[in-house]
Amino acid sequence: MTIPTRRESRREQHKRGGTGAQVTVRNTLIAYAFMLPFLILLVVYHTWPVFFGTYLAFTKYNVISPPEWVGLDNFRELTSDEQFWSGLRNSLKYILVVPIIQGLSIAVAMLVNRPMKGIGFFRTAYYVPVVTSFAVVGLIWTWMYQQEGPVNFVLQALGLMKEPHSLLNNPFTALYAVMFVTLWKGIGYYMVLYLAGLQAIAPELEEAAVIDGATRLQVFWNITLPGLRPTILVCSLLSTISAIKVFEEIYVMTSGGPAGSTYTALFYTYSRAFVDFKFGQAAAAGLIIAVISILFGLVNFRLTRGGRADA
Amino acid sequence: MLEQPATTPPQRQAATAQETAHVASGLRARKRRKDRLTNGLAYFVLGVIALIMLYPFYWTLITSFEPTGNIYQAKLWPSGFSFKNYVEVFQGTTVPFWRMVLNSVIICTLGVTLTVSFAALAAYPLAKMRFPGRDLIFYAILTLMVLPNEAGLIVNYSTTVNLGLLRQDNPVLNVLAQYAAVVLPGMASIVGLFLIRQAYLGVPMELIEAARIDGARELTIWRRVMLPLALPTIVAFSILEFVAYWNSFLWARIVLRDKELLPLSAGLLELSGTFSTNSRAVMAGAVLTILPILIVFAFGQKYFMKGIEGAVKG
């Protein structure tokens, strides 16, 4: 904008032969120079882990001495490690969060999509947990879940519980208590995405359906939901992968306890690496989790019919 | 006979129009009544959700100001008021609070500036230059984004150790190296690259051509044409990155040997460990940790939401 287009200079340039957009050695070098810092970091911290991580899964490695090839030993050990299986089971159980968080986020997005006074306040309020660190969120909910704390107060007031329980210290409730925190923190995020999806649906479609005598439910089922399908694909994919990889809330709130009831697959990876310094075994577990999340991604893709709005 | 059909329809139309108007007004009144009811219901539901979302923060805030009393109780007002817990945090007897604030500021400044600059630089040739290997690089980066990488933490730790960033031999250089160790792994943001590339694509090619014809160097074009025109996206991405760096704690806790260098959010967890006798002081620390984020979020909310949408679409 700040650079004026001068006709005479363009003519001069033509005399000299072409513009800078041409593919020359010099321009190629310039292009790569622009990308250099980014590409170096990308290779070191993104590409290298994919390859080296896969390699490490077949080695014994403790960071200090070089990795030592052990073949499939790590995987053999994993399959006989009850802790790994229980971690995997808990991670898969965690996928329960996905349909709930997606359903609630769609509902909330439809609510805050209404043209009402003060709706901006609600959108902002629901987003505050999203921008808060898991360090803070985890601590806050650890306090909220205390036996004499607000959560127990509400559950008892609603008649859902006879006597107070320390929900995070009970092996039967701890995982669900942590799931609620994931839900609480994530709804605002998906709400924003669904809101964008809703606003992309042509309002004429819904109006026409209403004129033709469609009920609210019919409009939602036949117009809103199909229109949201691409968003649903992306969101459920994101939340399935983060459910399988759930870690930070566990790390802050329960550290896998009580009695291993919140011990998840990635927590296993973490403690194998940074507590036991068995990096090879941790990498093998990581590889298995990666394969599982790819499989779930594909299932998700099929379930939402590839996210096509017309399907 | 012949004229009749020509004259009656307008009459009939008028009559039906009147009828329709009547019916419509009735419908509209009913709709208004129904709307008021559904709006009331909607506000109620919205209010309940807002309460669930905000009460934990409010509860933490008021409890952090209480000097004594039943700490974990559900409450609407603090049972007393004092700055005692905040003073305890500020004095930093067990955890160096001000040092952690400084660490957070350094990590965020370094992280945001470099992450945004590197993404903004790299996006330019990918959006607006022709050179061999462009599509290859573009698709390689795209693949990298969808490839799951559960061993990332492990390998990046090994890389950080092997780069010598955690060495303990020179007091000044080691501090710098440890800050670098915290910031470097997140610095190549693929999401940021795509966001900014998308913004660059919207810049008219004529503008760039004109600048090139005038003999402007590519770096000048980038700085004087591309950056100003992509500014809203760059601001949005910067806010996203600030929140991400300020909030991240796991990597810092794994990689930093020196507890003095922990950023605030990671230090908060140290605080909860060492201050276990006074949870209210930890609550005060939590309030202080959220505060900057809330301020940035309040001012940059519009950008922030756009950034999130763009990040997922891109």
Side-chain angles (χ1 to χ4, degrees):
Chain A
M1 283 182 97
T2 46
I3 288 139
T5 326
R6 265 176 283 138
R7 218 170 255 174
E8 55 279 12
S9 67
R10 183 172 285 175
R11 234 174 269 136
E12 278 162 32
Q13 188 72 39
H14 271 290
K15 262 181 260 165
R16 270 187 278 131
T19 68
Q22 277 182 333
V23 182
T24 60
V25 175
R26 202 182 111 82
N27 283 335
T28 305
L29 285 180
I30 291 173
Y32 278 94
F34 266 97
M35 298 186 296
L36 195 66
F38 186 91
L39 287 182
I40 290 174
L41 286 166
L42 193 75
V43 167
V44 172
Y45 291 106
H46 292 257
T47 319
W48 173 244
V50 175
F51 294 102
F52 191 57
T54 310
Y55 166 70
L56 280 186
F58 303 93
T59 65
K60 220 170 134 181
Y61 184 49
N62 62 2
V63 178
I64 298 148
S65 38
E68 179 193 322
W69 183 265
V70 293
L72 290 172
D73 276 8
N74 288 327
F75 294 95
R76 246 175 254 129
E77 255 178 82
L78 280 181
T79 47
S80 58
D81 189 347
E82 183 43 42
Q83 224 175 3
F84 175 70
W85 287 110
S86 100
L88 216 51
R89 268 198 303 275
N90 283 331
S91 278
L92 293 181
K93 232 190 255 178
Y94 220 85
I95 295 178
L96 183 65
V97 166
V98 177
I100 301 173
I101 202 171
Q102 297 311 316
L104 286 177
S105 302
I106 293 175
V108 170
M110 287 179 68
L111 261 177
V112 298
N113 196 27
R114 297 171 66 87
M116 302 201 306
K117 245 180 242 160
I119 205 74
F121 163 76
F122 293 105
R123 285 184 198 172
T124 311
Y126 302 167
Y127 208 78
V128 172
V130 181
V131 291
T132 311
S133 172
F134 256 124
V136 174
V137 166
L139 285 176
I140 288 183
W141 280 98
T142 312
W143 298 320
M144 299 286 292
Y145 276 129
Q146 294 286 328
Q147 193 153 349
E148 60 272 41
V151 174
N152 269 296
F153 175 81
V154 171
L155 290 178
Q156 278 178 289
L158 292 175
L160 293 169
M161 238 165 48
K162 286 266 181 302
E163 52 203 68
H165 286 284
S166 186
L167 294 168
L168 284 178
N169 290 326
N170 181 332
F172 296 103
T173 52
L175 191 69
Y176 301 101
V178 178
M179 276 184 194
F180 178 78
V181 177
T182 307
L183 212 64
W184 177 82
K185 195 180 188 301
I187 281 183
Y189 177 76
Y190 295 111
M191 173 197 78
V192 170
L193 300 181
Y194 281 121
L195 200 56
L198 283 174
Q199 281 161 1
I201 298 172
E204 295 84 33
L205 279 176
E206 287 178 10
E207 278 161 26
V210 171
I211 288 167
D212 287 347
T215 63
R216 252 168 213 241
L217 197 68
Q218 283 173 322
V219 171
F220 173 74
W221 200 252
N222 295 311
I223 291 167
T224 316
L225 216 51
L228 280 181
R229 190 165 280 142
T231 320
I232 295 176
L233 170 76
V234 172
C235 289
S236 53
L237 203 64
L238 285 175
S239 75
T240 307
I241 291 170
S242 49
I244 295 171
K245 289 166 60 168
V246 58
F247 181 75
E248 285 184 312
E249 39 275 67
I250 308 276
Y251 174 84
V252 179
M253 294 175 73
T254 61
S255 301
S261 60
T262 60
Y263 200 91
T264 59
L266 218 63
F267 201 83
Y268 179 90
T269 315
Y270 166 81
S271 50
R272 272 294 162 280
F274 298 108
V275 180
D276 307 333
F277 290 98
K278 291 183 172 172
F279 280 74
Q281 217 178 61
L287 197 62
I288 294 178
I289 302 168
V291 170
I292 291 175
S293 40
I294 289 178
L295 289 179
F296 270 91
L298 291 175
V299 170
N300 225 309
F301 198 74
R302 287 300 296 270
L303 282 182
T304 48
R305 292 172 235 180
R308 273 173 299 133
D310 54 83
Chain B
M1 277 285 280
L2 276 170
E3 279 157 35
Q4 242 177 356
T7 48
T8 39
Q11 275 170 357
R12 221 179 273 158
Q13 259 171 20
T16 42
Q18 219 166 21
E19 254 168 62
T20 347
H22 186 70
V23 170
S25 78
L27 273 175
R28 236 177 285 131
R30 205 196 300 166
K31 191 175 182 308
R32 233 178 289 132
R33 241 174 292 133
K34 215 179 136 197
D35 276 357
R36 219 174 296 145
L37 195 74
T38 45
N39 269 358
L41 197 71
Y43 275 123
F44 176 74
V45 176
L46 286 166
V48 169
I49 304 173
L51 199 66
I52 298 171
M53 293 299 182
L54 296 182
Y55 180 74
F57 293 107
Y58 174 72
W59 179 88
T60 308
L61 179 73
I62 58 176
T63 311
S64 72
F65 280 113
E66 287 178 346
T68 51
N70 194 343
I71 174 167
Y72 296 122
Q73 209 170 35
K75 57 197 133 199
L76 289 176
W77 306 109
S79 65
F81 189 90
S82 92
F83 286 105
K84 178 177 148 267
N85 306 308
Y86 285 85
V87 171
E88 201 172 320
V89 174
F90 289 147
Q91 278 172 346
T93 38
T94 31
V95 169
F97 176 76
W98 293 110
R99 182 58 204 264
M100 284 171 175
V101 172
L102 178 72
N103 294 334
S104 276
V105 170
I106 292 174
I107 288 170
C108 282
T109 312
L110 263 178
V112 174
T113 322
L114 294 176
T115 309
V116 174
S117 307
F118 290 166
L121 276 169
Y124 175 48
L126 286 175
K128 290 291 179 191
M129 287 168 89
R130 286 194 300 145
F131 58 90
R134 187 176 84 168
D135 292 345
L136 184 76
I137 288 176
F138 185 76
Y139 287 111
I141 295 174
L142 203 67
T143 318
L144 215 53
M145 192 159 75
V146 290
L147 227 55
N149 183 16
E150 266 68 23
L153 210 59
I154 299 161
V155 179
N156 284 346
Y157 179 75
S158 134
T159 307
T160 308
V161 171
N162 290 327
L163 286 176
L165 292 174
L166 304 183
R167 229 179 291 154
Q168 312 266 339
D169 44 21
N170 177 322
V172 181
L173 279 180
N174 287 336
V175 169
L176 293 177
Q178 287 192 61
Y179 282 134
V182 173
V183 175
L184 281 172
M187 220 177 247
S189 167
I190 300 177
V191 167
L193 180 81
F194 285 126
L195 263 177
I196 298 174
R197 179 182 164 270
Q198 206 62 35
Y200 286 167
L201 286 176
V203 176
M205 206 60 211
E206 291 80 25
L207 227 51
I208 299 162
E209 290 292 327
R212 278 180 189 150
I213 288 163
D214 283 353
R217 294 186 312 146
E218 293 294 334
L219 202 63
T220 317
I221 299 175
W222 175 73
R223 205 162 46 86
R224 305 275 298 274
V225 182
M226 304 309 282
L227 282 191
L229 289 178
L231 200 63
T233 305
I234 288 171
V235 172
F237 179 53
S238 305
I239 294 175
L240 280 180
E241 282 300 303
F242 171 75
V243 171
Y245 276 108
W246 186 272
N247 284 347
S248 69
F249 60 95
L250 183 66
W251 177 247
R253 281 198 110 199
I254 288 176
V255 94
L256 286 177
R257 299 279 159 77
D258 204 343
K259 293 280 173 276
E260 288 268 306
L261 297 178
L262 283 175
L264 204 51
S265 48
L268 191 67
L269 295 175
E270 294 291 316
L271 197 70
S272 81
T274 47
F275 257 116
S276 49
T277 42
N278 184 7
S279 290
R280 282 197 182 84
V282 187
M283 292 179 189
V287 170
L288 293 167
T289 308
I290 311 175
L291 214 57
I293 289 293
L294 287 187
I295 293 168
V296 167
F297 179 58
F299 285 106
Q301 195 196 347
K302 199 181 68 194
Y303 285 118
F304 197 92
M305 301 289 192
K306 279 271 165 287
I308 293 284
E309 286 168 24
V312 169
K313 273 187 224 144

